Amino acid sequence: ARWGLTAGSTWLLGQKVTGDQHVPQGEVSFRVPLQGSTGESLLRRSQTDDGVIGWLGEGCLARPGFRGHSYVQGVLLSWPDGRVSFQWDRSQDSVVYEMLDF
């Protein structure tokens, strides 16, 4: 993993509401560093020509049963139509998330 969760740092965490065979319910599916422990910004932003905004982060990969889980580089994406997704690698599809009203 590129960043470590250190004491005093601030992260955006995507927690699994429903689990699957690899990453169970309640575990962190992706994470994006916002601020380091000394207050420095860790956000790394990019934007595509079609208006998609991305922030560098890490996504959880695991073998069945959450064995050998680790975090690899990925991108949190915000689409012009309001959708949000996380893409583990530029060569993979994005996982699109739905906003829930509580």
Side-chain angles (χ1 to χ4, degrees):
R2 182 177 176 153
W3 303 280
L5 290 173
T6 58
S9 61
T10 304
W11 291 70
L12 171 69
L13 302 177
Q15 186 177 22
K16 290 278 244 185
V17 175
T18 58
D20 59 36
Q21 68 176 350
H22 297 279
V23 180
Q25 178 183 12
E27 294 294 340
V28 173
S29 181
F30 68 85
R31 58 193 190 187
V32 177
L34 303 177
Q35 190 173 52
S37 59
T38 60
E40 75 279 13
S41 175
L42 297 177
L43 275 174
R44 303 295 178 257
R45 179 182 158 157
S46 64
Q47 186 165 352
T48 63
D49 291 337
D50 57 359
V52 178
I53 300 170
W55 295 272
L56 288 181
E58 300 172 336
C60 186
L61 295 178
R63 292 190 301 274
F66 201 51
R67 291 189 330 258
H69 71 283
S70 63
Y71 287 88
V72 297
Q73 186 169 332
V75 182
L76 177 65
L77 301 170
S78 175
W79 299 83
D81 64 3
R83 291 177 300 145
V84 176
S85 65
F86 191 85
Q87 187 173 14
W88 272 252
D89 183 295
R90 296 236 178 248
S91 64
Q92 293 183 353
D93 293 334
S94 291
V95 176
V96 178
Y97 298 96
E98 182 179 343
M99 296 295 220
L100 301 175
D101 293 324
F102 292 96

